Amino acid sequence: MRLSNTIRVVIAFHFSLFVFNYLGAQSLESYLEEAEANNPEIQAYELQYNISKEKVGEARSLPNTSISAGYFVSEPETRTGAQRTRLSVAQMLPWFGTITARESYANSLAEADYLDLAIVKRKLALSVAQSYYELYVLNAKQTVLKENMQLLDTYEQLALTSVEVGRASAVDVLRLQIRQNELQQQIEVLEQKALAERANFNGLRNQEQSLSVYVVSQLDIPLEDAMYESQNLELNPELLRYDRLYESVTQSELLNQKQSAPSFGVGVDYVAVSERPNMDFSDNGKDIVMPMVSLSIPLFNTSFKSVSKQNELRQKELQSQKQQRLNVLETTLAKAISQRNQARIAYNTSSKNLEQAKDAEEILTKNYETGTIDFNDVLDIQELQLKFQVNQLEAIKSYYEQSVIINYLIQ
């Protein structure tokens, strides 16, 4: 069976999916290959595709050869002698081109199954990538929180020193400690979320849930977005699948037309004849060989017309389904592009705000030398810094998640 070039290339989607991730492509690519090799859903679809390919060979087969034998209990007498046994061999043959039509129909179904395999591989790659970036942001948030904990430790020491010299109250120290407790709680919550996400990630790879997962330590949004050809959306296997199904219905109708034609059979009958005793003539005891031809004509079978009508309606249904799916994919693509642009805007804004928050923190730290530090302001600035850092990480995750969706749709 030969698959079209268009169908053959869609299966290679994941190899070019994450080229833009210059920091994590190597690691993520290895996880993708492992997931594709081990995922049981992929294996099930591959087996289904192999079954479909085997059906192509099944389509080439002919009806069973009919062989029969009979023994005359009461031997009928003929002029040349009594008939003893009878052997028959018959083979029915479909109309010319029927086997080719069956093979073409089986091929078209196999190509549709091949696209089902391509779709599930792309969806698996999408799920693995999204889980990978979720793990990244969970780990990165923990790192940011721990850094803020260390910063609060420094401020706590400053507050304790200020309390000793009468420039701050014990309440300031308690506020800082309460804030530390809150950050510790957030760290522990993130650890639990990371454990759950790790189990999900390993499940996609068909690995033990507790197996360690290594993700990149830092991701940045690239300066420029990758260029995409929006018309490639029409090459998405989810849409190509409808084309293959439409083609399979076309082949089904061609097969139906062939099957509505007469079928014919060829065969031979052999009858063993005994010699007549006390008789002498040329054909005495001569066996009988009778070639046969049969013809089967579907005179009163209206099912073929019904099948033709069903095929026509099925093609219209597939056209409507494809248009509906195209509308959904176009909407999804537009939404993903918009959200990726929003992620870039959010990242740039958070970066500017974070720089200004650090400047404010530096001013507060310098004020400590003059004895005018306000620890309420310290907590406010620290909270703002953490907020902007988390917003940056969420923007990075959103950017890459939307990018893999775009790649899923048009790569």
Side-chain angles (χ1 to χ4, degrees):
M1 182 187 64
R2 295 182 179 179
L3 296 175
S4 65
N5 291 333
T6 301
I7 297 178
R8 191 179 293 110
V9 298
V10 297
I11 203 73
F13 151 79
H14 63 279
F15 291 108
S16 61
L17 178 57
F18 303 104
V19 173
F20 58 84
N21 181 4
Y22 58 92
L23 287 173
Q26 184 74 30
S27 176
L28 180 54
E29 194 68 31
S30 64
Y31 282 132
L32 287 170
E33 292 174 1
E34 183 182 12
E36 184 176 316
N38 298 332
N39 187 271
E41 185 179 13
I42 296 290
Q43 294 170 359
Y45 274 87
E46 286 177 341
L47 291 172
Q48 179 59 48
Y49 173 56
N50 290 333
I51 292 172
S52 297
K53 289 194 296 183
E54 289 299 322
K55 288 183 180 294
V56 177
E58 178 186 339
R60 301 189 186 105
S61 63
L62 292 172
N64 291 339
T65 302
S66 177
I67 301 175
S68 61
Y71 178 78
F72 293 100
V73 177
S74 177
E75 298 179 352
E77 290 286 345
T78 66
R79 187 183 68 84
T80 59
Q83 298 181 12
R84 301 192 313 272
T85 59
R86 180 173 183 151
L87 297 175
S88 298
V89 178
Q91 176 66 60
M92 292 301 295
L93 299 171
W95 193 253
F96 301 102
T98 301
I99 293 178
T100 301
R102 280 208 304 258
E103 187 176 352
S104 298
Y105 176 59
N107 266 324
S108 64
L109 292 178
E111 289 187 359
D113 285 340
Y114 182 85
L115 284 170
D116 284 337
L117 174 61
I119 291 169
V120 75
K121 283 187 175 184
R122 291 164 73 100
K123 287 184 175 180
L124 176 64
L126 179 62
S127 297
V128 170
Q130 290 175 331
S131 182
Y132 181 90
Y133 293 126
E134 181 65 26
L135 280 172
Y136 161 76
V137 79
L138 290 172
N139 292 341
K141 283 181 180 179
Q142 291 181 59
T143 300
V144 166
L145 288 172
K146 289 175 182 177
E147 291 173 352
N148 278 265
M149 284 279 288
Q150 294 175 354
L151 183 60
L152 287 178
D153 285 340
T154 301
Y155 287 138
E156 183 184 6
Q157 295 302 318
L158 294 177
L160 288 172
T161 302
S162 298
V163 170
E164 291 177 359
V165 298
R167 291 188 294 178
S169 69
V171 175
D172 294 324
V173 178
L174 292 174
R175 285 200 185 100
L176 287 166
Q177 292 174 345
I178 291 172
R179 182 60 180 159
Q180 287 174 310
N181 295 337
E182 291 176 348
L183 293 185
Q184 183 60 40
Q185 174 190 338
Q186 293 178 36
I187 291 173
E188 293 175 2
V189 169
L190 287 172
E191 287 174 349
Q192 293 303 313
K193 289 183 178 180
L195 288 175
E197 190 58 44
R198 184 181 67 181
N200 174 55
F201 187 80
N202 286 330
L204 294 170
R205 298 158 53 220
N206 197 28
Q207 299 289 348
E208 291 291 335
Q209 292 186 352
S210 58
L211 189 67
S212 297
V213 177
Y214 301 98
V215 300
V216 293
S217 58
Q218 181 180 353
L219 278 175
D220 294 307
I221 293 180
L223 297 177
E224 295 183 357
D225 297 330
M227 300 298 295
Y228 299 107
E229 297 292 339
S230 58
Q231 61 268 27
N232 288 348
L233 182 61
E234 297 181 1
L235 298 179
N236 187 287
E238 289 193 40
L239 298 178
L240 291 177
R241 179 177 179 273
Y242 289 107
D243 294 336
R244 292 299 97 192
L245 290 175
Y246 188 95
E247 176 62 22
S248 72
V249 177
T250 300
Q251 295 299 328
S252 174
E253 178 56 26
L254 292 175
L255 176 60
N256 181 55
Q257 295 298 326
K258 293 293 184 180
Q259 289 178 332
S260 66
S263 59
F264 59 94
V266 294
V268 62
D269 269 9
Y270 170 79
V271 180
V273 179
S274 300
E275 290 187 359
R276 299 187 68 176
N278 304 320
M279 301 287 289
D280 185 13
F281 54 92
S282 60
D283 289 337
N284 187 14
K286 184 177 181 179
D287 295 338
I288 301 172
V289 177
M290 182 175 64
M292 295 184 300
V293 177
S294 62
L295 189 66
S296 175
I297 304 175
L299 291 177
F300 306 105
N301 197 334
T302 60
S303 64
F304 299 108
K305 292 182 179 179
S306 176
V307 170
S308 294
K309 185 62 176 179
Q310 293 174 43
N311 287 335
E312 180 184 352
L313 295 173
R314 176 60 174 157
Q315 286 184 323
K316 291 180 179 179
E317 178 191 18
L318 288 170
Q319 287 176 327
S320 298
Q321 289 177 342
K322 180 182 178 181
Q323 185 60 51
Q324 170 62 18
R325 192 57 190 163
L326 176 60
N327 293 341
V328 171
L329 294 183
E330 286 176 339
T331 301
T332 303
L333 176 61
K335 183 178 179 181
I337 292 175
S338 174
Q339 291 185 348
R340 189 180 65 174
N341 293 338
Q342 293 174 42
R344 180 181 290 278
I345 294 170
Y347 177 83
N348 292 336
T349 302
S350 296
S351 298
K352 293 177 182 178
N353 289 339
L354 185 58
E355 290 179 3
Q356 293 172 345
K358 288 181 178 179
D359 291 340
E361 176 195 0
E362 185 177 350
I363 293 172
L364 287 173
T365 304
K366 289 182 178 179
N367 285 345
Y368 177 74
E369 299 174 359
T370 64
T372 59
I373 189 169
D374 187 336
F375 286 100
N376 287 329
D377 292 340
V378 168
L379 284 173
D380 289 342
I381 290 300
Q382 185 273 335
E383 189 171 353
L384 281 174
Q385 279 187 328
L386 179 58
K387 174 185 174 182
F388 299 144
Q389 287 174 311
V390 170
N391 287 346
Q392 267 190 328
L393 294 174
E394 289 291 346
I396 291 172
K397 184 188 77 166
S398 177
Y399 179 89
Y400 281 103
E401 284 184 341
Q402 299 309 315
S403 294
V404 295
I405 292 174
I406 294 171
N407 276 266
Y408 170 84
L409 293 171
I410 59 179
Q411 277 284 42

